[in-house]
């Protein structure tokens, strides 16, 4: 408590513009992840990608982000929130420029990996700034809701914006559009956010822990992304899996012996954070997998164009944003635990209705009841779980707490999508529309069951004393 009181938030009237910058940063992160999907056919033909290698335009970003989040979170705490925020935004802008001008497949995949590293630095820096600029309670909850709405908007509007840009200016525009956005938030962050203190020479950065954790998690995410395509028994997958286990085991050994570990043991004693990490993994495995299967349903089963697919995601984008705001009000009235339970219950009902509504005729209005309930539950749950992840964490640990929770978010998403693709059997290239429809429907049923499992897990969590 004394640590929290020693760093009071600035007056509320001064927080509006910084919050806009932080929300824009989250918009950039989610937009950059999703905007390339509709550009993939043009990128493949323009740069001569093979059908098998084209997936790495997306996968390189996912692998790099998942692997470097833990390092990004600790760097935020030790090197300074504003420094890392500005550095990450500039990295985004520079890599986007190179991506837009690239003329080879290898360069573009490397650019996507660098953008992923930028995301791994920017995400925990942004979340840590929110959790330290805003006092724990209603002020921080409102900020997290705005931040969450921006992220949801980026994920859903990315498809629409990507379709418009590709049709008008070519695939290069989906990279070049990031330059003014990322450059603008870098400049605004340098001007608006509190200056970081001098770098401390008394604290060890735990280089060995950072290297083993980053390498081990990167290989783990690589395995989860690669295995559905190459096969779980392929030699490369098995070798990478064994290396990942060895590196993560070494990381655990290093953390137990070092004086200033990358992930202090006290963080794992924080039950609220550990519970939030489990929920972020489950959230990403379920709610965050829905757009993949809806895109498959719209474009492959029913032949929607890239622009029409983007338009179909407008409703989820708006409703998720509404859900984040509803989540703030629910937290203030009912508490975090009840809010997450209610969000997951509504989301599970929505997923079930959506699965039932998926049909051969492709009627979009028929999908709306399920989409609305699913998106509303997603928004409320998103807000609640990040409030839970930050609650009770000291300001000096907010970066690593954000990195830990966002790492489980990435890994959970990779695991969930791999499992769902295997269950739905939608990875084949010769499936007919009817087969794909059955697979997509099965996947959404499994998502509904997974969200129900999350609600049960929330019920099992004991309410903290005095809350």
């Amino acid at each position: 408590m004394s640590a929290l009181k020693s760093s009071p938030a600035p007056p509320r009237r001064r927080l509006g513009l910084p919050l806009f910058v932080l929300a824009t940063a989250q918009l950039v992160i989610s937009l950059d992840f999703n905007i390339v999907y509709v550009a993939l056919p043009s990128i493949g033909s323009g740069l001569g990608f093979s059908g098998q290698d084209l997936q790495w335009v997306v996968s390189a970003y996912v692998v790099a982000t998942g692997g470097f989040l833990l390092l990004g979170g600790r760097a935020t705490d030790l090197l300074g929130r504003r420094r890392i925020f500005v550095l990450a935004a500039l990295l985004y802008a520079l890599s986007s420029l190179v991506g837009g001008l690239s003329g080879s497949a290898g360069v573009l995949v490397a650019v996507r990996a660098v953008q992923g590293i930028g995301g791994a630095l920017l995400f925990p820096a942004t979340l840590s700034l929110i959790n330290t600029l805003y006092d724990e309670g209603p002020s921080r909850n409102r900020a997290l809701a705005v931040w969450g709405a921006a992220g949801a908007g980026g994920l859903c509007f990315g498809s629409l914006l990507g379709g418009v840009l590709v049709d008008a200016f070519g695939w290069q525009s989906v990279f070049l559009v990031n330059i003014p956005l990322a450059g603008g938030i870098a400049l605004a962050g340098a001007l608006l956010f509190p200056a970081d203190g001098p770098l401390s020479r008394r604290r060890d950065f735990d280089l060995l822990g950072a290297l083993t954790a980053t390498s081990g998690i990167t290989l783990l995410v690589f395995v989860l992304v690669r295995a559905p395509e190459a096969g779980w028994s392929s030699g490369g997958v098995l070798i990478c899996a064994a290396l990942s286990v060895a590196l993560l085991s070494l990381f655990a050994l290093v953390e137990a012996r070092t004086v200033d570990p990358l992930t202090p043991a006290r963080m794992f004693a924080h039950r609220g954070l550990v519970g939030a990490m489990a929920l972020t993994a489950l959230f990403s495995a379920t709610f965050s997998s829905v757009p993949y299967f809806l895109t498959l349903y719209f474009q492959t089963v029913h032949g929607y164009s890239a622009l029409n697919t983007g338009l179909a995601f407008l409703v989820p984008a708006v409703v998720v944003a509404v859900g984040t705001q509803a989540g703030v009000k629910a937290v203030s009235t009912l508490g975090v635990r009840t809010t997450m339970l209610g969000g997951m219950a509504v989301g599970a009902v929505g997923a079930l209705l959506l699965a039932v509504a998926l049909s051969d005729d492709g009627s979009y209005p028929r999908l709306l009841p399920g989409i609305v309930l699913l998106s509303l539950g997603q928004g409320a749950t998103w807000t609640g779980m990040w409030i839970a992840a930050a609650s009770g964490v000291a300001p000096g640990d907010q970066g690593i707490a954000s990195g830990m929770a966002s790492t489980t978010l990435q890994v959970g998403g990779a695991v969930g999508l791999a499992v769902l693709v295997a269950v739905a059997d939608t990875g084949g290239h010769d499936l007919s529309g009817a087969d794909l429809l059955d697979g997509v429907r099965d996947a959404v049923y499994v998502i509904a069951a997974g969200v129900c499992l999350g609600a049960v897990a929330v019920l099992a969590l004991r309410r903290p004393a005095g809350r």
Side-chain angles (χ1 to χ4, degrees), residues 28-53:
V28 169
I29 294 170
S30 56
L31 191 70
D32 196 52
F33 173 77
N34 209 40
I35 197 172
V36 299
Y37 276 105
V38 296
L40 287 178
S42 299
I43 291 173
S45 59
L47 296 182
F49 275 94
S50 67
Q52 183 176 3
D53 291 339

Side-chain angles (χ1 to χ4, degrees), residues 236-418:
V237 168
L238 292 176
I239 291 172
C240 289
L243 287 173
S244 175
V245 171
L247 286 167
L248 292 176
S249 299
L250 179 58
F251 168 67
L253 182 62
V254 169
E255 296 302 278
R257 295 174 179 269
T258 189
V259 175
D260 198 5
L262 183 68
T263 53
R266 65 179 179 275
M267 304 303 294
F268 294 99
H270 195 296
R271 294 181 58 189
L273 174 60
V274 173
M277 289 168 62
L279 288 173
T280 59
L282 188 59
F283 177 96
S284 188
T286 54
F287 285 111
S288 298
S289 297
V290 172
Y292 172 85
F293 291 101
L294 279 183
T295 301
L296 197 63
Y297 175 77
F298 291 140
Q299 291 191 333
T300 306
V301 177
H302 292 297
Y304 281 29
S305 67
L307 181 58
N308 286 337
T309 300
L311 290 171
F313 279 107
L314 284 178
V315 171
V318 172
V319 179
V320 168
V322 171
T324 61
Q325 304 305 310
V328 171
K329 296 180 180 178
V331 167
S332 300
T333 305
L334 305 172
V336 176
R337 181 171 176 267
T338 304
T339 298
M340 288 194 294
L341 179 61
M344 287 186 169
V346 171
V349 173
L352 186 61
L353 291 177
L354 179 61
V356 172
L358 295 170
S359 63
D360 294 320
D361 62 19
S363 172
Y364 185 74
R366 184 177 175 181
L367 304 178
L368 285 178
I371 286 177
V372 168
L373 288 178
L374 180 65
S375 302
L376 189 64
Q378 180 178 355
T381 304
W382 175 266
T383 300
M385 74 183 187
W386 291 113
I387 292 172
S391 297
V393 177
D397 288 330
Q398 285 290 347
I400 188 59
S402 302
M404 292 167 68
S406 50
T407 296
T408 54
L409 184 78
Q410 288 289 327
V411 175
V415 172
L417 189 57

Side-chain angles (χ1 to χ4, degrees), residues 111-337:
V111 163
R112 288 293 286 167
V114 174
Q115 286 183 322
I117 296 172
L121 296 174
L122 189 59
F123 189 95
T126 301
L127 197 52
S128 180
L129 280 164
I130 289 177
N131 293 332
T132 51
L133 283 175
Y134 297 80
D135 285 329
E136 186 172 336
S139 179
R140 182 188 294 175
N141 296 350
R142 286 191 295 269
L144 286 170
V146 173
W147 169 81
L155 286 174
C156 294
F157 286 118
S159 298
L160 175 60
L161 180 60
V164 172
L165 290 175
V166 171
D167 285 346
F169 306 107
W171 66 263
Q172 294 89 344
S173 59
V174 302
F175 292 94
L176 298 178
V177 73
N178 280 326
I179 298 173
L181 289 173
I185 62 173
L187 177 61
L191 295 175
L192 292 174
F193 298 146
D196 298 313
L199 296 176
S200 174
R201 297 182 179 180
R202 295 177 296 174
R203 301 185 70 178
D204 180 21
F205 194 73
D206 187 16
L207 180 60
L208 183 57
L211 290 174
T212 52
T214 300
S215 302
I217 296 172
T218 300
L219 285 171
L220 174 61
V221 178
F222 173 82
V223 167
L224 295 172
V225 170
R226 177 64 176 157
E229 180 75 21
W232 289 95
S233 60
S234 67
V237 168
L238 292 176
I239 291 172
C240 289
L243 287 173
S244 175
V245 171
L247 286 167
L248 292 176
S249 299
L250 179 58
F251 168 67
L253 182 62
V254 169
E255 296 302 278
R257 295 174 179 269
T258 189
V259 175
D260 198 5
L262 183 68
T263 53
R266 65 179 179 275
M267 304 303 294
F268 294 99
H270 195 296
R271 294 181 58 189
L273 174 60
V274 173
M277 289 168 62
L279 288 173
T280 59
L282 188 59
F283 177 96
S284 188
T286 54
F287 285 111
S288 298
S289 297
V290 172
Y292 172 85
F293 291 101
L294 279 183
T295 301
L296 197 63
Y297 175 77
F298 291 140
Q299 291 191 333
T300 306
V301 177
H302 292 297
Y304 281 29
S305 67
L307 181 58
N308 286 337
T309 300
L311 290 171
F313 279 107
L314 284 178
V315 171
V318 172
V319 179
V320 168
V322 171
T324 61
Q325 304 305 310
V328 171
K329 296 180 180 178
V331 167
S332 300
T333 305
L334 305 172
V336 176
R337 181 171 176 267

